Amino acid sequence: MCDACLIESVKQSMLSRRALFTGAAVTTAAVVASGLTTARPALAQAAGKVVDLTHAYDGAFPTFDGNPGIIYEPAVKFAESGYQLWKLTIYEHTGTHIDAPLHFTEDGTSVADLPPERLVCPLCIIDIKAKAADDPNAMVEPADIEAFVSANGAIPAGACVAMNSGWAAKVGDPSYRNDAEGKFAFPGFSKAATDMLAGMDVACIGVDTLSLDPGNSADFAVHFSWLPGGRFGIENLAGLDGLPATGATMFVGAPKHKGGTGGPARVMAVL
């Protein structure tokens, strides 16, 4: 299926470190008060290392539809006014960003209404770099989840499970988005895997690629099953190689515009 056809199918179908740790202390209290005990051990073990999981992006950053995801226009110029600012035109699903339930449901939860306790979560990273090196459309499968649990223990409820395919290193190269024939080609999750994770009460899945579904998906099965269940996703993650498989707490700086289907986010992991 061509890129344009695939896009049309979708259309039709649907801070300083101090400040961070001050916020972490407040969040810890909130987590305890809310009863979300699954995130508390990861927070309690934090030793002070912060890993940024967010790509800096501009109009050249790869996007699903191929159009610039952000456009800058000078609104105030320093030479004229003594200060400066940009007028930004931003498309929600560009750069490192959140897919909220509303993205693939008519009346689902917007990004502004995501429960805040779900935005602070233990991070579990499933490494499929070896598979992705052989198959650009490799998927996280149930067997990968089972192997992860066997090696690292149970995935806690409320966690974010992120795929590390090694694709973040390709940003800036056409192969991040397409194969040599110009077709979408990048790893993602299988529906069987995300169905398994939904049964574990995982809050979020994350990918270091353009989409939760693999590039050769023709039906967006993961988007259509995962998001309407009230869960969210994060696409275009960076920095996963700088983290262990478990032990980090992820902080998702979600945008909060009313009715939003998602949006660019600053995502951090704390060890």
Side-chain angles (χ1 to χ4, degrees):
M1 184 179 290
C2 67
D3 294 0
C5 296
L6 192 56
I7 294 166
E8 183 60 26
S9 173
V10 178
K11 291 179 181 176
Q12 295 301 321
S13 298
M14 0 192 315
L15 207 214
S16 67
R17 179 170 294 198
R18 178 180 299 176
L20 177 62
F21 285 105
T22 299
V26 172
T27 303
T28 302
V31 166
V32 173
S34 68
L36 184 65
T37 58
T38 53
R40 187 169 60 187
L43 287 170
Q45 295 168 10
K49 181 180 179 181
V50 180
V51 177
D52 193 347
L53 303 182
T54 315
H55 287 285
Y57 86 113
D58 58 18
F61 192 89
T63 60
F64 193 85
D65 63 9
N67 296 318
I70 181 171
I71 299 169
Y72 297 76
E73 298 176 62
V76 180
K77 298 180 180 180
F78 190 87
E80 297 173 355
S81 304
Y83 70 101
Q84 56 191 340
L85 61 89
W86 297 99
K87 174 185 176 182
L88 300 179
T89 301
I90 297 176
Y91 293 87
E92 287 179 312
H93 297 270
T94 57
T96 301
H97 67 273
I98 290 179
D99 281 10
L102 188 59
H103 185 34
F104 268 71
T105 58
E106 187 174 4
D107 57 357
T109 303
S110 78
V111 70
D113 295 321
L114 290 173
E117 61 271 16
R118 292 293 233 186
L119 301 176
V120 180
C121 45
L123 178 60
C124 300
I125 302 173
I126 297 180
D127 190 317
I128 65 162
K129 291 197 292 288
K131 285 204 303 185
D134 294 330
D135 177 8
N137 292 296
M139 294 185 287
V140 175
E141 301 279 8
D144 298 304
I145 298 171
E146 291 167 356
F148 176 92
V149 171
S150 178
N152 300 284
I155 295 172
C160 174
V161 175
M163 173 193 79
N164 183 3
S165 68
W167 232 247
K170 296 176 178 282
V171 168
D173 187 272
S175 62
Y176 186 77
R177 182 176 185 269
N178 299 119
D179 62 16
E181 297 178 354
K183 297 178 181 178
F184 284 136
F186 43 79
F189 279 83
S190 73
K191 182 179 181 296
T194 54
D195 286 348
M196 178 183 289
L197 294 175
M200 299 176 179
D201 193 24
V202 167
C204 164
I205 56 173
V207 295
D208 56 349
T209 61
L210 279 170
S211 176
L212 305 178
D213 289 275
N216 63 354
S217 171
D219 58 7
F220 290 89
V222 170
H223 279 83
F224 276 114
S225 59
W226 182 258
L227 298 176
R231 296 167 289 269
F232 67 99
I234 305 175
E235 295 171 337
N236 297 312
L237 283 168
L240 293 173
D241 278 335
L243 293 168
T246 63
T249 299
M250 188 173 74
F251 294 78
V252 184
K256 204 172 181 181
H257 55 297
K258 294 182 179 180
T261 70
R266 190 70 180 264
V267 184
M268 302 284 191
V270 178
L271 283 171

mmCIF file of all heavy atoms in Angstrom, residues 213-241:
data_model
loop_
_atom_site.group_PDB
_atom_site.id
_atom_site.type_symbol
_atom_site.label_atom_id
_atom_site.label_comp_id
_atom_site.label_asym_id
_atom_site.label_seq_id
_atom_site.Cartn_x
_atom_site.Cartn_y
_atom_site.Cartn_z
ATOM 1 N N ASP A 213 2.489 0.799 15.480
ATOM 2 C CA ASP A 213 2.422 -0.322 14.556
ATOM 3 C C ASP A 213 3.670 -0.348 13.687
ATOM 4 O O ASP A 213 4.264 0.704 13.412
ATOM 5 C CB ASP A 213 1.200 -0.187 13.648
ATOM 6 C CG ASP A 213 -0.110 -0.411 14.359
ATOM 7 O OD1 ASP A 213 -0.518 -1.584 14.493
ATOM 8 O OD2 ASP A 213 -0.748 0.582 14.767
ATOM 9 N N PRO A 214 4.074 -1.521 13.199
ATOM 10 C CA PRO A 214 5.219 -1.560 12.282
ATOM 11 C C PRO A 214 4.907 -0.843 10.977
ATOM 12 O O PRO A 214 3.736 -0.642 10.624
ATOM 13 C CB PRO A 214 5.433 -3.066 12.060
ATOM 14 C CG PRO A 214 4.101 -3.683 12.334
ATOM 15 C CD PRO A 214 3.496 -2.852 13.433
ATOM 16 N N GLY A 215 5.952 -0.490 10.249
ATOM 17 C CA GLY A 215 5.770 0.297 9.038
ATOM 18 C C GLY A 215 4.929 -0.368 7.977
ATOM 19 O O GLY A 215 4.235 0.313 7.219
ATOM 20 N N ASN A 216 4.959 -1.698 7.898
ATOM 21 C CA ASN A 216 4.210 -2.388 6.851
ATOM 22 C C ASN A 216 2.780 -2.716 7.256
ATOM 23 O O ASN A 216 2.077 -3.432 6.545
ATOM 24 C CB ASN A 216 4.942 -3.659 6.414
ATOM 25 C CG ASN A 216 5.083 -4.680 7.535
ATOM 26 O OD1 ASN A 216 4.732 -4.410 8.683
ATOM 27 N ND2 ASN A 216 5.610 -5.851 7.200
ATOM 28 N N SER A 217 2.326 -2.194 8.399
ATOM 29 C CA SER A 217 0.947 -2.436 8.823
ATOM 30 C C SER A 217 -0.030 -1.795 7.849
ATOM 31 O O SER A 217 0.140 -0.640 7.443
ATOM 32 C CB SER A 217 0.714 -1.863 10.225
ATOM 33 O OG SER A 217 -0.660 -1.914 10.559
ATOM 34 N N ALA A 218 -1.059 -2.547 7.490
ATOM 35 C CA ALA A 218 -2.090 -2.026 6.601
ATOM 36 C C ALA A 218 -3.373 -1.673 7.332
ATOM 37 O O ALA A 218 -4.297 -1.125 6.738
ATOM 38 C CB ALA A 218 -2.406 -3.058 5.505
ATOM 39 N N ASP A 219 -3.450 -1.991 8.639
ATOM 40 C CA ASP A 219 -4.721 -1.810 9.345
ATOM 41 C C ASP A 219 -4.600 -1.086 10.688
ATOM 42 O O ASP A 219 -5.593 -0.852 11.358
ATOM 43 C CB ASP A 219 -5.397 -3.166 9.572
ATOM 44 C CG ASP A 219 -4.518 -4.145 10.355
ATOM 45 O OD1 ASP A 219 -3.436 -3.740 10.851
ATOM 46 O OD2 ASP A 219 -4.913 -5.321 10.469
ATOM 47 N N PHE A 220 -3.373 -0.733 11.111
ATOM 48 C CA PHE A 220 -3.166 -0.040 12.382
ATOM 49 C C PHE A 220 -3.842 -0.769 13.537
ATOM 50 O O PHE A 220 -4.510 -0.175 14.378
ATOM 51 C CB PHE A 220 -3.643 1.411 12.298
ATOM 52 C CG PHE A 220 -2.784 2.265 11.425
ATOM 53 C CD1 PHE A 220 -3.046 2.370 10.065
ATOM 54 C CD2 PHE A 220 -1.688 2.932 11.938
ATOM 55 C CE1 PHE A 220 -2.240 3.134 9.248
ATOM 56 C CE2 PHE A 220 -0.877 3.693 11.130
ATOM 57 C CZ PHE A 220 -1.142 3.793 9.782
ATOM 58 N N ALA A 221 -3.638 -2.080 13.562
ATOM 59 C CA ALA A 221 -4.314 -2.919 14.557
ATOM 60 C C ALA A 221 -3.962 -2.524 15.985
ATOM 61 O O ALA A 221 -4.828 -2.564 16.874
ATOM 62 C CB ALA A 221 -3.954 -4.391 14.316
ATOM 63 N N VAL A 222 -2.718 -2.131 16.225
ATOM 64 C CA VAL A 222 -2.318 -1.750 17.584
ATOM 65 C C VAL A 222 -2.975 -0.433 17.983
ATOM 66 O O VAL A 222 -3.521 -0.299 19.082
ATOM 67 C CB VAL A 222 -0.783 -1.672 17.698
ATOM 68 C CG1 VAL A 222 -0.367 -1.048 19.030
ATOM 69 C CG2 VAL A 222 -0.171 -3.060 17.549
ATOM 70 N N HIS A 223 -2.925 0.546 17.099
ATOM 71 C CA HIS A 223 -3.579 1.824 17.397
ATOM 72 C C HIS A 223 -5.065 1.624 17.713
ATOM 73 O O HIS A 223 -5.594 2.185 18.675
ATOM 74 C CB HIS A 223 -3.445 2.791 16.223
ATOM 75 C CG HIS A 223 -2.141 3.504 16.136
ATOM 76 N ND1 HIS A 223 -1.029 2.951 15.551
ATOM 77 C CD2 HIS A 223 -1.770 4.740 16.554
ATOM 78 C CE1 HIS A 223 -0.023 3.820 15.604
ATOM 79 N NE2 HIS A 223 -0.447 4.909 16.211
ATOM 80 N N PHE A 224 -5.738 0.827 16.874
ATOM 81 C CA PHE A 224 -7.185 0.663 17.011
ATOM 82 C C PHE A 224 -7.578 -0.183 18.220
ATOM 83 O O PHE A 224 -8.727 -0.115 18.670
ATOM 84 C CB PHE A 224 -7.771 0.048 15.740
ATOM 85 C CG PHE A 224 -8.071 1.050 14.667
ATOM 86 C CD1 PHE A 224 -7.370 1.027 13.476
ATOM 87 C CD2 PHE A 224 -9.042 2.029 14.845
ATOM 88 C CE1 PHE A 224 -7.634 1.955 12.478
ATOM 89 C CE2 PHE A 224 -9.321 2.956 13.853
ATOM 90 C CZ PHE A 224 -8.615 2.922 12.662
ATOM 91 N N SER A 225 -6.660 -0.979 18.751
ATOM 92 C CA SER A 225 -6.990 -1.803 19.913
ATOM 93 C C SER A 225 -6.435 -1.230 21.206
ATOM 94 O O SER A 225 -7.104 -1.254 22.244
ATOM 95 C CB SER A 225 -6.464 -3.231 19.717
ATOM 96 O OG SER A 225 -5.058 -3.233 19.529
ATOM 97 N N TRP A 226 -5.233 -0.681 21.162
ATOM 98 C CA TRP A 226 -4.583 -0.194 22.379
ATOM 99 C C TRP A 226 -5.173 1.122 22.865
ATOM 100 O O TRP A 226 -5.536 1.270 24.041
ATOM 101 C CB TRP A 226 -3.082 -0.034 22.130
ATOM 102 C CG TRP A 226 -2.306 0.423 23.328
ATOM 103 C CD1 TRP A 226 -1.845 1.689 23.578
ATOM 104 C CD2 TRP A 226 -1.879 -0.374 24.431
ATOM 105 N NE1 TRP A 226 -1.174 1.729 24.769
ATOM 106 C CE2 TRP A 226 -1.183 0.465 25.313
ATOM 107 C CE3 TRP A 226 -2.035 -1.722 24.766
ATOM 108 C CZ2 TRP A 226 -0.634 0.004 26.511
ATOM 109 C CZ3 TRP A 226 -1.486 -2.186 25.948
ATOM 110 C CH2 TRP A 226 -0.798 -1.322 26.806
ATOM 111 N N LEU A 227 -5.290 2.084 21.997
ATOM 112 C CA LEU A 227 -5.713 3.423 22.419
ATOM 113 C C LEU A 227 -7.175 3.482 22.876
ATOM 114 O O LEU A 227 -7.465 4.103 23.915
ATOM 115 C CB LEU A 227 -5.459 4.436 21.299
ATOM 116 C CG LEU A 227 -3.990 4.604 20.887
ATOM 117 C CD1 LEU A 227 -3.877 5.560 19.699
ATOM 118 C CD2 LEU A 227 -3.135 5.111 22.041
ATOM 119 N N PRO A 228 -8.123 2.870 22.182
ATOM 120 C CA PRO A 228 -9.508 2.948 22.651
ATOM 121 C C PRO A 228 -9.729 2.319 24.018
ATOM 122 O O PRO A 228 -10.745 2.592 24.664
ATOM 123 C CB PRO A 228 -10.291 2.189 21.560
ATOM 124 C CG PRO A 228 -9.460 2.362 20.338
ATOM 125 C CD PRO A 228 -8.041 2.259 20.833
ATOM 126 N N GLY A 229 -8.786 1.511 24.492
ATOM 127 C CA GLY A 229 -8.912 0.920 25.815
ATOM 128 C C GLY A 229 -8.568 1.879 26.937
ATOM 129 O O GLY A 229 -8.531 1.473 28.111
ATOM 130 N N GLY A 230 -8.309 3.153 26.608
ATOM 131 C CA GLY A 230 -8.000 4.154 27.629
ATOM 132 C C GLY A 230 -6.522 4.283 27.908
ATOM 133 O O GLY A 230 -6.115 5.029 28.805
ATOM 134 N N ARG A 231 -5.698 3.570 27.139
ATOM 135 C CA ARG A 231 -4.250 3.632 27.323
ATOM 136 C C ARG A 231 -3.642 4.634 26.327
ATOM 137 O O ARG A 231 -4.319 5.115 25.429
ATOM 138 C CB ARG A 231 -3.659 2.231 27.123
ATOM 139 C CG ARG A 231 -4.145 1.235 28.173
ATOM 140 C CD ARG A 231 -3.821 -0.201 27.780
ATOM 141 N NE ARG A 231 -4.652 -0.653 26.669
ATOM 142 C CZ ARG A 231 -5.821 -1.263 26.818
ATOM 143 N NH1 ARG A 231 -6.295 -1.502 28.018
ATOM 144 N NH2 ARG A 231 -6.522 -1.645 25.775
ATOM 145 N N PHE A 232 -2.351 4.917 26.493
ATOM 146 C CA PHE A 232 -1.716 5.857 25.562
ATOM 147 C C PHE A 232 -0.403 5.282 25.054
ATOM 148 O O PHE A 232 0.084 4.243 25.530
ATOM 149 C CB PHE A 232 -1.516 7.237 26.202
ATOM 150 C CG PHE A 232 -0.530 7.308 27.338
ATOM 151 C CD1 PHE A 232 0.776 7.746 27.131
ATOM 152 C CD2 PHE A 232 -0.907 6.988 28.642
ATOM 153 C CE1 PHE A 232 1.679 7.838 28.179
ATOM 154 C CE2 PHE A 232 -0.015 7.078 29.697
ATOM 155 C CZ PHE A 232 1.283 7.503 29.459
ATOM 156 N N GLY A 233 0.146 5.932 24.054
ATOM 157 C CA GLY A 233 1.412 5.517 23.474
ATOM 158 C C GLY A 233 2.340 6.705 23.328
ATOM 159 O O GLY A 233 1.907 7.863 23.366
ATOM 160 N N ILE A 234 3.629 6.418 23.178
ATOM 161 C CA ILE A 234 4.623 7.456 22.910
ATOM 162 C C ILE A 234 5.444 7.011 21.712
ATOM 163 O O ILE A 234 5.958 5.884 21.689
ATOM 164 C CB ILE A 234 5.552 7.698 24.110
ATOM 165 C CG1 ILE A 234 4.747 8.028 25.358
ATOM 166 C CG2 ILE A 234 6.529 8.831 23.801
ATOM 167 C CD1 ILE A 234 5.594 8.163 26.611
ATOM 168 N N GLU A 235 5.560 7.864 20.728
ATOM 169 C CA GLU A 235 6.308 7.558 19.509
ATOM 170 C C GLU A 235 7.540 8.451 19.400
ATOM 171 O O GLU A 235 7.588 9.538 19.956
ATOM 172 C CB GLU A 235 5.396 7.728 18.288
ATOM 173 C CG GLU A 235 4.255 6.722 18.294
ATOM 174 C CD GLU A 235 3.182 6.957 17.241
ATOM 175 O OE1 GLU A 235 3.046 8.113 16.772
ATOM 176 O OE2 GLU A 235 2.485 5.989 16.894
ATOM 177 N N ASN A 236 8.539 7.943 18.675
ATOM 178 C CA ASN A 236 9.806 8.654 18.449
ATOM 179 C C ASN A 236 10.591 8.893 19.746
ATOM 180 O O ASN A 236 11.120 9.989 19.973
ATOM 181 C CB ASN A 236 9.568 9.996 17.738
ATOM 182 C CG ASN A 236 8.981 9.831 16.352
ATOM 183 O OD1 ASN A 236 9.467 9.028 15.559
ATOM 184 N ND2 ASN A 236 7.938 10.596 16.061
ATOM 185 N N LEU A 237 10.684 7.871 20.579
ATOM 186 C CA LEU A 237 11.507 7.980 21.781
ATOM 187 C C LEU A 237 12.993 7.989 21.405
ATOM 188 O O LEU A 237 13.409 7.394 20.411
ATOM 189 C CB LEU A 237 11.232 6.818 22.729
ATOM 190 C CG LEU A 237 9.943 6.886 23.539
ATOM 191 C CD1 LEU A 237 9.656 5.544 24.200
ATOM 192 C CD2 LEU A 237 10.008 7.994 24.586
ATOM 193 N N ALA A 238 13.782 8.634 22.225
ATOM 194 C CA ALA A 238 15.243 8.667 22.071
ATOM 195 C C ALA A 238 15.874 8.164 23.362
ATOM 196 O O ALA A 238 15.213 8.020 24.391
ATOM 197 C CB ALA A 238 15.710 10.091 21.780
ATOM 198 N N GLY A 239 17.174 7.858 23.311
ATOM 199 C CA GLY A 239 17.944 7.642 24.528
ATOM 200 C C GLY A 239 17.740 6.337 25.258
ATOM 201 O O GLY A 239 18.250 6.169 26.369
ATOM 202 N N LEU A 240 17.025 5.378 24.682
ATOM 203 C CA LEU A 240 16.749 4.140 25.406
ATOM 204 C C LEU A 240 18.001 3.313 25.654
ATOM 205 O O LEU A 240 18.056 2.539 26.614
ATOM 206 C CB LEU A 240 15.704 3.313 24.646
ATOM 207 C CG LEU A 240 14.300 3.933 24.578
ATOM 208 C CD1 LEU A 240 13.407 3.106 23.664
ATOM 209 C CD2 LEU A 240 13.683 4.046 25.971
ATOM 210 N N ASP A 241 19.005 3.472 24.810
ATOM 211 C CA ASP A 241 20.256 2.733 25.019
ATOM 212 C C ASP A 241 20.974 3.160 26.296
ATOM 213 O O ASP A 241 21.860 2.442 26.777
ATOM 214 C CB ASP A 241 21.197 2.913 23.825
ATOM 215 C CG ASP A 241 20.849 1.973 22.676
ATOM 216 O OD1 ASP A 241 20.255 0.910 22.931
ATOM 217 O OD2 ASP A 241 21.181 2.306 21.515
#
